[in-house]
Amino acid sequence: MRIIVADWETFFDSKEYTLKRMTTESYIRDPRFEPHGVAVKWEPALGAVWYRPDEFREVAMRTDWNDVFLIHHHAQFDGLIEIHHFGINPKAFGCTLAMARLLLGSHISVSLDSVRKHFGMEAKRTPYHLFDGKHWDELDDYAKKEIAAGACDEVESIWNLFNLLAKDFPQEEYPVVDTTIRMFTNPVLQGDVDLLAHIWEEEEKSKVGRMEALGVTEAQLQSAETFAGLLRDAGVEPQKKSGKKWDIYAFAKTDDFMRELLEDADDRVRALAEIRLGVKSTYMQTRAETWGYMASRGPMCVYLSYAGTGTLRPSGGDSTNFLNMKRQSQLRRALRAPDGWKLCPVDSSQIECRVLHYLAGGPDEPVVQKFRNHEDPYVDLASKFYQETIYKPKKDDPRKDEMEAKRGMGKQGRLMCGYGASGKQFKVTAKNGTYGPSVEISIEDADAFVVLYRKDNPSVCAPNSGYWAQAGRMLARLAGGPPVDWGPLHVRDHRIYLPGGQPMIYDSLEYYRPTEEEREALMEAGKYFKLDGWWRMRTRRGWKEMWGSKLTQNICEAVSRVVVTQAMNRITAMGYRVLNHPYDELLCLIPDEGKDEYHQAVLETEMRREVPWLPGLPLDCESIVDVIYKK
DNA sequence: TGATCCCGCGCG
DNA sequence: AAAGCGCGCGGGATCA
C-alpha cells in the first residue's frame, strides 16, 4: 500500500466563515467553501508538492486511491474535503492527531502546533493572517508562495510525527482510527429533516405556550436569581445548597427542594418549576436544530473524538454528541438507514461487570460462572438484599412494577458498588432512577446494600486481597515504581498498557501531602484518615483524587473498550460499515436484502467471540434490525 | 467583550 | 478508615 501525506489550505473569513465559529462539517459543506490548494507528499522519499485544486483533481484522477494509506493531522477535516469535494476515497485514513491523542493523553492539546512542540519541532509557519478573507486571486505572489510553503512544511512535519508516533502506536488501533474517521468523512445515516423540524417546533410551542400562560419570559426562568424572585412572588422561599465556592439555589431536577416544588399544591408554583426545568433542558431543541441543518446539507457526519477519554473510549466533538441520545427519543428516530440498507445496533451485554469479576477472580469467579450459565447476576444480588426471589418480570406479570424496581436495584448495585460507591451516593442514584424505576430507600438500607455487596464479592472488595486493594497498591508502581505485569495488563513508566499496547496515561499521578492549612480543615471535618495525604492526578477538570476502586473503574472501562473495538475491527474487516460507537454498542449497517437474521448472527458472533487474552470470559450481546435508529 | 469556571443533564 | 467513574454541550456567573 502506498503512503501519502496531505494537508489542505482553504479560504476563510475570520468575521463569519471560519472554523472558529462553525462546525467542521458545516464549514466544509458550505456553499462558500473554496480550497486554496493542497500540499501532497506522494511517497516518503519525495518532498511535498503544492497543487491548486484543478491541478490536484487531474493528478488525483490518475491515482489508484484504493491502494493508498492517506495520512493527515485531523483527518476528519482533510478527509471530508477529499471525499465530499473531490470524490477521492483512500483505502485507509491515518491521522496523527488521533495517534497523538492516544499516546500523549486526553487532557492536553494535540493541535499540530502542540504536537510539533512536544517533539521539539519548530512552530507552524503558515501565515494565516495573510489570507484572512482573501480568495486565491486576491492574494499577492508573496502570500501565495507563503501558503504553499507553509502547507508543504506542515506535510513534512506530519510525516515526521507519524514516524515518531508509529513506534508506539498499536497496530490494531489503525483500523479503529480509520473507522472513526469514516463515520464522519463517509457519512451514511440519513437525518429526517421534517421530523427534526417537528421536534424543534413542538419543544418551542410547548415552552412558549407555558411561559405565556404564566406571564414569564425565558430570561427570567434561565437566571437562578430572577427565578428565585418568581418563586418568592408566588409565596415560596427558595432553598439554597452549598456550591464549590458559595451557596447556590437548589434548582436542579434532582434536588429535593425542586422535587417538592414539582408536587406543590399551588398550580402556579408547580408550573413554574416545570417550565424552569423545561427551559433549562435545551439539548433536545439545540440538537434538533444542529442536526436539522446538517441533514439539509447531506447525510449525517458522525464526529467522534478517537480516544477522547482517559479510558480510551470515544467522546463527542464538532459541537455535537452522537453518544448521548435519550433512549426511545424522537431525536434517535430521526436517524435512519439510506434506501436499500438497514441499521443493526449491537450492544455488548453487561461487559464491564463481566470484565470486573474476571479480572478480580478469573474464569471461575462466582459471578463469571453465573454469566457463563446465562444466569442474571442482577436478580441474584437483588434477591440477597430483599431476601426473596427477585426475577426479571414478563409483560403481564402482576408484580411487574415491583420486580422491575427491585431488579433495577440489583443492576445499580452491580455497577456502582463494584467501583466503590458509598451508601449516600447509592441512595441518591436510586432515587434518580438511573438504572431503572426511581426507588426511595433510607440511608440505612443504602448503607446495608453497600455492606452486603462488599461482603458478597470478596474477589473485588476484600481488604488486602481484593482487586481494589491490589489497584490501590498499584498506584505507587504507576507513580514511579519498576515495571510489572498485572494479569492482562502491563504497568510501566506511568502507564497501564492494555494487551494490544494501548496506554492509559497516568503521567501526573502523585502522592499529595496537604499543607498545614489543609490539615486543619481536614481535622475540622473529621477526616483524620486523609491527614497524611492522598493520590491525585491532573485531568481535564483540574486535579482529581485517585484511589484503588476508582483505578479499578478506569481499568474495567478501558479493557471493555478494547474488547469492543477488537470486535469492531473484525466486523469492518468483513466489509460492514460501523456508523457509530456509543461505548458498548456498535451501530452496524447491513444490506436490505431479506437476510436480516443472517447478518445479525454474523455480527453477534463477533461481539460474543472469546478474547484470547481473557480466556474463559463469557461475553454476550443483544441486537435489533430496523430502518430507524431505535433503542 | 471574550475567556474561563461551574453546574446541570444526557449517555455508557 | 473514605471515595462510583468517563465524557460534551448549553448556559449563567465571574473575571480580566
PDB file of all heavy atoms in Angstrom, chain A residues 437-463:
ATOM      1  N   PRO A 437     -36.609   2.023  37.473  1.00  0.00           N
ATOM      2  CA  PRO A 437     -37.572   2.941  38.072  1.00  0.00           C
ATOM      3  C   PRO A 437     -36.964   3.634  39.294  1.00  0.00           C
ATOM      4  O   PRO A 437     -36.104   3.067  39.959  1.00  0.00           O
ATOM      5  CB  PRO A 437     -38.721   2.017  38.491  1.00  0.00           C
ATOM      6  CG  PRO A 437     -38.522   0.750  37.742  1.00  0.00           C
ATOM      7  CD  PRO A 437     -37.059   0.625  37.483  1.00  0.00           C
ATOM      8  N   SER A 438     -37.409   4.860  39.565  1.00  0.00           N
ATOM      9  CA  SER A 438     -36.939   5.591  40.741  1.00  0.00           C
ATOM     10  C   SER A 438     -37.351   4.847  42.006  1.00  0.00           C
ATOM     11  O   SER A 438     -38.493   4.426  42.147  1.00  0.00           O
ATOM     12  CB  SER A 438     -37.535   6.993  40.736  1.00  0.00           C
ATOM     13  OG  SER A 438     -37.264   7.632  41.959  1.00  0.00           O
ATOM     14  N   VAL A 439     -36.399   4.648  42.926  1.00  0.00           N
ATOM     15  CA  VAL A 439     -36.680   3.914  44.161  1.00  0.00           C
ATOM     16  C   VAL A 439     -36.211   4.744  45.346  1.00  0.00           C
ATOM     17  O   VAL A 439     -35.077   5.223  45.365  1.00  0.00           O
ATOM     18  CB  VAL A 439     -35.939   2.544  44.172  1.00  0.00           C
ATOM     19  CG1 VAL A 439     -36.173   1.822  45.492  1.00  0.00           C
ATOM     20  CG2 VAL A 439     -36.386   1.678  43.008  1.00  0.00           C
ATOM     21  N   GLU A 440     -37.079   4.913  46.323  1.00  0.00           N
ATOM     22  CA  GLU A 440     -36.691   5.634  47.539  1.00  0.00           C
ATOM     23  C   GLU A 440     -36.306   4.635  48.612  1.00  0.00           C
ATOM     24  O   GLU A 440     -37.113   3.785  48.976  1.00  0.00           O
ATOM     25  CB  GLU A 440     -37.848   6.502  48.032  1.00  0.00           C
ATOM     26  CG  GLU A 440     -38.126   7.663  47.101  1.00  0.00           C
ATOM     27  CD  GLU A 440     -38.418   8.954  47.867  1.00  0.00           C
ATOM     28  OE1 GLU A 440     -37.756   9.198  48.899  1.00  0.00           O
ATOM     29  OE2 GLU A 440     -39.298   9.690  47.412  1.00  0.00           O
ATOM     30  N   ILE A 441     -35.059   4.721  49.079  1.00  0.00           N
ATOM     31  CA  ILE A 441     -34.662   3.871  50.204  1.00  0.00           C
ATOM     32  C   ILE A 441     -34.012   4.745  51.263  1.00  0.00           C
ATOM     33  O   ILE A 441     -33.493   5.823  50.964  1.00  0.00           O
ATOM     34  CB  ILE A 441     -33.698   2.735  49.781  1.00  0.00           C
ATOM     35  CG1 ILE A 441     -32.457   3.295  49.072  1.00  0.00           C
ATOM     36  CG2 ILE A 441     -34.401   1.713  48.913  1.00  0.00           C
ATOM     37  CD1 ILE A 441     -31.381   2.254  48.879  1.00  0.00           C
ATOM     38  N   SER A 442     -34.032   4.263  52.490  1.00  0.00           N
ATOM     39  CA  SER A 442     -33.429   5.028  53.589  1.00  0.00           C
ATOM     40  C   SER A 442     -31.914   4.930  53.470  1.00  0.00           C
ATOM     41  O   SER A 442     -31.382   4.021  52.824  1.00  0.00           O
ATOM     42  CB  SER A 442     -33.878   4.452  54.933  1.00  0.00           C
ATOM     43  OG  SER A 442     -33.345   3.144  55.081  1.00  0.00           O
ATOM     44  N   ILE A 443     -31.212   5.839  54.128  1.00  0.00           N
ATOM     45  CA  ILE A 443     -29.752   5.805  54.099  1.00  0.00           C
ATOM     46  C   ILE A 443     -29.245   4.530  54.773  1.00  0.00           C
ATOM     47  O   ILE A 443     -28.238   3.956  54.357  1.00  0.00           O
ATOM     48  CB  ILE A 443     -29.147   7.081  54.727  1.00  0.00           C
ATOM     49  CG1 ILE A 443     -27.619   7.108  54.598  1.00  0.00           C
ATOM     50  CG2 ILE A 443     -29.543   7.219  56.204  1.00  0.00           C
ATOM     51  CD1 ILE A 443     -27.110   7.190  53.193  1.00  0.00           C
ATOM     52  N   GLU A 444     -29.999   4.042  55.787  1.00  0.00           N
ATOM     53  CA  GLU A 444     -29.601   2.803  56.467  1.00  0.00           C
ATOM     54  C   GLU A 444     -29.664   1.625  55.486  1.00  0.00           C
ATOM     55  O   GLU A 444     -28.760   0.789  55.447  1.00  0.00           O
ATOM     56  CB  GLU A 444     -30.512   2.515  57.675  1.00  0.00           C
ATOM     57  CG  GLU A 444     -30.347   3.462  58.851  1.00  0.00           C
ATOM     58  CD  GLU A 444     -31.049   4.815  58.640  1.00  0.00           C
ATOM     59  OE1 GLU A 444     -31.898   4.911  57.708  1.00  0.00           O
ATOM     60  OE2 GLU A 444     -30.730   5.762  59.380  1.00  0.00           O
ATOM     61  N   ASP A 445     -30.746   1.569  54.713  1.00  0.00           N
ATOM     62  CA  ASP A 445     -30.878   0.486  53.740  1.00  0.00           C
ATOM     63  C   ASP A 445     -29.804   0.585  52.652  1.00  0.00           C
ATOM     64  O   ASP A 445     -29.253  -0.421  52.207  1.00  0.00           O
ATOM     65  CB  ASP A 445     -32.270   0.520  53.085  1.00  0.00           C
ATOM     66  CG  ASP A 445     -33.332  -0.065  54.013  1.00  0.00           C
ATOM     67  OD1 ASP A 445     -32.932  -0.659  55.040  1.00  0.00           O
ATOM     68  OD2 ASP A 445     -34.523   0.077  53.712  1.00  0.00           O
ATOM     69  N   ALA A 446     -29.514   1.827  52.235  1.00  0.00           N
ATOM     70  CA  ALA A 446     -28.495   2.017  51.208  1.00  0.00           C
ATOM     71  C   ALA A 446     -27.131   1.560  51.727  1.00  0.00           C
ATOM     72  O   ALA A 446     -26.386   0.862  51.032  1.00  0.00           O
ATOM     73  CB  ALA A 446     -28.439   3.481  50.769  1.00  0.00           C
ATOM     74  N   ASP A 447     -26.814   1.951  52.949  1.00  0.00           N
ATOM     75  CA  ASP A 447     -25.555   1.516  53.555  1.00  0.00           C
ATOM     76  C   ASP A 447     -25.514  -0.007  53.659  1.00  0.00           C
ATOM     77  O   ASP A 447     -24.485  -0.636  53.399  1.00  0.00           O
ATOM     78  CB  ASP A 447     -25.388   2.133  54.953  1.00  0.00           C
ATOM     79  CG  ASP A 447     -24.994   3.605  54.883  1.00  0.00           C
ATOM     80  OD1 ASP A 447     -24.448   4.017  53.842  1.00  0.00           O
ATOM     81  OD2 ASP A 447     -25.241   4.337  55.858  1.00  0.00           O
ATOM     82  N   ALA A 448     -26.672  -0.590  54.036  1.00  0.00           N
ATOM     83  CA  ALA A 448     -26.738  -2.046  54.184  1.00  0.00           C
ATOM     84  C   ALA A 448     -26.507  -2.730  52.830  1.00  0.00           C
ATOM     85  O   ALA A 448     -25.858  -3.781  52.751  1.00  0.00           O
ATOM     86  CB  ALA A 448     -28.097  -2.454  54.755  1.00  0.00           C
ATOM     87  N   PHE A 449     -27.006  -2.125  51.771  1.00  0.00           N
ATOM     88  CA  PHE A 449     -26.814  -2.685  50.425  1.00  0.00           C
ATOM     89  C   PHE A 449     -25.324  -2.719  50.079  1.00  0.00           C
ATOM     90  O   PHE A 449     -24.788  -3.715  49.602  1.00  0.00           O
ATOM     91  CB  PHE A 449     -27.585  -1.853  49.384  1.00  0.00           C
ATOM     92  CG  PHE A 449     -27.861  -2.604  48.114  1.00  0.00           C
ATOM     93  CD1 PHE A 449     -29.176  -2.888  47.733  1.00  0.00           C
ATOM     94  CD2 PHE A 449     -26.821  -3.040  47.299  1.00  0.00           C
ATOM     95  CE1 PHE A 449     -29.433  -3.591  46.565  1.00  0.00           C
ATOM     96  CE2 PHE A 449     -27.069  -3.734  46.128  1.00  0.00           C
ATOM     97  CZ  PHE A 449     -28.382  -4.011  45.767  1.00  0.00           C
ATOM     98  N   VAL A 450     -24.655  -1.592  50.369  1.00  0.00           N
ATOM     99  CA  VAL A 450     -23.230  -1.495  50.069  1.00  0.00           C
ATOM    100  C   VAL A 450     -22.439  -2.528  50.881  1.00  0.00           C
ATOM    101  O   VAL A 450     -21.548  -3.208  50.353  1.00  0.00           O
ATOM    102  CB  VAL A 450     -22.724  -0.060  50.336  1.00  0.00           C
ATOM    103  CG1 VAL A 450     -21.205   0.003  50.236  1.00  0.00           C
ATOM    104  CG2 VAL A 450     -23.366   0.913  49.351  1.00  0.00           C
ATOM    105  N   VAL A 451     -22.781  -2.664  52.158  1.00  0.00           N
ATOM    106  CA  VAL A 451     -22.091  -3.639  53.017  1.00  0.00           C
ATOM    107  C   VAL A 451     -22.310  -5.054  52.475  1.00  0.00           C
ATOM    108  O   VAL A 451     -21.376  -5.855  52.377  1.00  0.00           O
ATOM    109  CB  VAL A 451     -22.595  -3.524  54.474  1.00  0.00           C
ATOM    110  CG1 VAL A 451     -22.099  -4.699  55.305  1.00  0.00           C
ATOM    111  CG2 VAL A 451     -22.119  -2.203  55.087  1.00  0.00           C
ATOM    112  N   LEU A 452     -23.575  -5.346  52.124  1.00  0.00           N
ATOM    113  CA  LEU A 452     -23.901  -6.667  51.578  1.00  0.00           C
ATOM    114  C   LEU A 452     -23.064  -6.941  50.322  1.00  0.00           C
ATOM    115  O   LEU A 452     -22.465  -8.007  50.182  1.00  0.00           O
ATOM    116  CB  LEU A 452     -25.393  -6.737  51.234  1.00  0.00           C
ATOM    117  CG  LEU A 452     -25.837  -7.938  50.390  1.00  0.00           C
ATOM    118  CD1 LEU A 452     -25.801  -9.204  51.246  1.00  0.00           C
ATOM    119  CD2 LEU A 452     -27.232  -7.737  49.805  1.00  0.00           C
ATOM    120  N   TYR A 453     -23.009  -5.972  49.424  1.00  0.00           N
ATOM    121  CA  TYR A 453     -22.240  -6.151  48.181  1.00  0.00           C
ATOM    122  C   TYR A 453     -20.774  -6.447  48.492  1.00  0.00           C
ATOM    123  O   TYR A 453     -20.173  -7.359  47.929  1.00  0.00           O
ATOM    124  CB  TYR A 453     -22.340  -4.903  47.293  1.00  0.00           C
ATOM    125  CG  TYR A 453     -21.504  -5.058  46.042  1.00  0.00           C
ATOM    126  CD1 TYR A 453     -22.044  -5.614  44.886  1.00  0.00           C
ATOM    127  CD2 TYR A 453     -20.151  -4.718  46.032  1.00  0.00           C
ATOM    128  CE1 TYR A 453     -21.275  -5.806  43.757  1.00  0.00           C
ATOM    129  CE2 TYR A 453     -19.368  -4.911  44.908  1.00  0.00           C
ATOM    130  CZ  TYR A 453     -19.936  -5.447  43.771  1.00  0.00           C
ATOM    131  OH  TYR A 453     -19.167  -5.653  42.660  1.00  0.00           O
ATOM    132  N   ARG A 454     -20.209  -5.664  49.391  1.00  0.00           N
ATOM    133  CA  ARG A 454     -18.774  -5.806  49.659  1.00  0.00           C
ATOM    134  C   ARG A 454     -18.449  -7.158  50.298  1.00  0.00           C
ATOM    135  O   ARG A 454     -17.402  -7.735  50.029  1.00  0.00           O
ATOM    136  CB  ARG A 454     -18.288  -4.650  50.535  1.00  0.00           C
ATOM    137  CG  ARG A 454     -18.356  -3.331  49.775  1.00  0.00           C
ATOM    138  CD  ARG A 454     -17.778  -2.165  50.553  1.00  0.00           C
ATOM    139  NE  ARG A 454     -17.923  -0.936  49.762  1.00  0.00           N
ATOM    140  CZ  ARG A 454     -17.445   0.243  50.110  1.00  0.00           C
ATOM    141  NH1 ARG A 454     -16.760   0.363  51.235  1.00  0.00           N
ATOM    142  NH2 ARG A 454     -17.631   1.295  49.350  1.00  0.00           N
ATOM    143  N   LYS A 455     -19.370  -7.650  51.146  1.00  0.00           N
ATOM    144  CA  LYS A 455     -19.158  -8.959  51.768  1.00  0.00           C
ATOM    145  C   LYS A 455     -19.341 -10.066  50.749  1.00  0.00           C
ATOM    146  O   LYS A 455     -18.642 -11.070  50.760  1.00  0.00           O
ATOM    147  CB  LYS A 455     -20.177  -9.162  52.907  1.00  0.00           C
ATOM    148  CG  LYS A 455     -19.739  -8.550  54.203  1.00  0.00           C
ATOM    149  CD  LYS A 455     -20.392  -9.281  55.385  1.00  0.00           C
ATOM    150  CE  LYS A 455     -19.949  -8.653  56.689  1.00  0.00           C
ATOM    151  NZ  LYS A 455     -21.069  -8.171  57.487  1.00  0.00           N
ATOM    152  N   ASP A 456     -20.281  -9.848  49.854  1.00  0.00           N
ATOM    153  CA  ASP A 456     -20.680 -10.886  48.916  1.00  0.00           C
ATOM    154  C   ASP A 456     -19.712 -11.015  47.731  1.00  0.00           C
ATOM    155  O   ASP A 456     -19.770 -11.981  46.981  1.00  0.00           O
ATOM    156  CB  ASP A 456     -22.094 -10.564  48.396  1.00  0.00           C
ATOM    157  CG  ASP A 456     -22.792 -11.798  47.872  1.00  0.00           C
ATOM    158  OD1 ASP A 456     -22.696 -12.838  48.548  1.00  0.00           O
ATOM    159  OD2 ASP A 456     -23.401 -11.724  46.789  1.00  0.00           O
ATOM    160  N   ASN A 457     -18.842 -10.004  47.536  1.00  0.00           N
ATOM    161  CA  ASN A 457     -17.932 -10.011  46.383  1.00  0.00           C
ATOM    162  C   ASN A 457     -16.482  -9.809  46.805  1.00  0.00           C
ATOM    163  O   ASN A 457     -15.849  -8.810  46.449  1.00  0.00           O
ATOM    164  CB  ASN A 457     -18.361  -8.920  45.387  1.00  0.00           C
ATOM    165  CG  ASN A 457     -19.722  -9.214  44.786  1.00  0.00           C
ATOM    166  OD1 ASN A 457     -19.838  -9.992  43.852  1.00  0.00           O
ATOM    167  ND2 ASN A 457     -20.759  -8.614  45.352  1.00  0.00           N
ATOM    168  N   PRO A 458     -15.958 -10.789  47.564  1.00  0.00           N
ATOM    169  CA  PRO A 458     -14.615 -10.610  48.124  1.00  0.00           C
ATOM    170  C   PRO A 458     -13.527 -10.483  47.057  1.00  0.00           C
ATOM    171  O   PRO A 458     -12.532  -9.797  47.294  1.00  0.00           O
ATOM    172  CB  PRO A 458     -14.412 -11.875  48.966  1.00  0.00           C
ATOM    173  CG  PRO A 458     -15.395 -12.863  48.422  1.00  0.00           C
ATOM    174  CD  PRO A 458     -16.554 -12.071  47.947  1.00  0.00           C
ATOM    175  N   SER A 459     -13.709 -11.101  45.901  1.00  0.00           N
ATOM    176  CA  SER A 459     -12.644 -11.001  44.893  1.00  0.00           C
ATOM    177  C   SER A 459     -12.433  -9.545  44.482  1.00  0.00           C
ATOM    178  O   SER A 459     -11.336  -9.139  44.129  1.00  0.00           O
ATOM    179  CB  SER A 459     -12.985 -11.848  43.661  1.00  0.00           C
ATOM    180  OG  SER A 459     -14.101 -11.295  42.982  1.00  0.00           O
ATOM    181  N   VAL A 460     -13.493  -8.765  44.564  1.00  0.00           N
ATOM    182  CA  VAL A 460     -13.390  -7.347  44.210  1.00  0.00           C
ATOM    183  C   VAL A 460     -13.032  -6.495  45.429  1.00  0.00           C
ATOM    184  O   VAL A 460     -12.131  -5.653  45.372  1.00  0.00           O
ATOM    185  CB  VAL A 460     -14.726  -6.839  43.605  1.00  0.00           C
ATOM    186  CG1 VAL A 460     -14.658  -5.348  43.301  1.00  0.00           C
ATOM    187  CG2 VAL A 460     -15.087  -7.633  42.354  1.00  0.00           C
ATOM    188  N   CYS A 461     -13.727  -6.750  46.556  1.00  0.00           N
ATOM    189  CA  CYS A 461     -13.713  -5.776  47.656  1.00  0.00           C
ATOM    190  C   CYS A 461     -12.874  -6.156  48.878  1.00  0.00           C
ATOM    191  O   CYS A 461     -12.656  -5.302  49.742  1.00  0.00           O
ATOM    192  CB  CYS A 461     -15.132  -5.515  48.147  1.00  0.00           C
ATOM    193  SG  CYS A 461     -16.367  -5.369  46.857  1.00  0.00           S
ATOM    194  N   ALA A 462     -12.451  -7.394  49.000  1.00  0.00           N
ATOM    195  CA  ALA A 462     -11.798  -7.808  50.247  1.00  0.00           C
ATOM    196  C   ALA A 462     -10.571  -6.941  50.538  1.00  0.00           C
ATOM    197  O   ALA A 462      -9.763  -6.680  49.647  1.00  0.00           O
ATOM    198  CB  ALA A 462     -11.387  -9.270  50.162  1.00  0.00           C
ATOM    199  N   PRO A 463     -10.440  -6.491  51.803  1.00  0.00           N
ATOM    200  CA  PRO A 463      -9.255  -5.715  52.170  1.00  0.00           C
ATOM    201  C   PRO A 463      -7.998  -6.552  51.912  1.00  0.00           C
ATOM    202  O   PRO A 463      -8.015  -7.764  52.097  1.00  0.00           O
ATOM    203  CB  PRO A 463      -9.436  -5.464  53.674  1.00  0.00           C
ATOM    204  CG  PRO A 463     -10.882  -5.709  53.944  1.00  0.00           C
ATOM    205  CD  PRO A 463     -11.357  -6.702  52.933  1.00  0.00           C
TER     206      PRO A 463
END
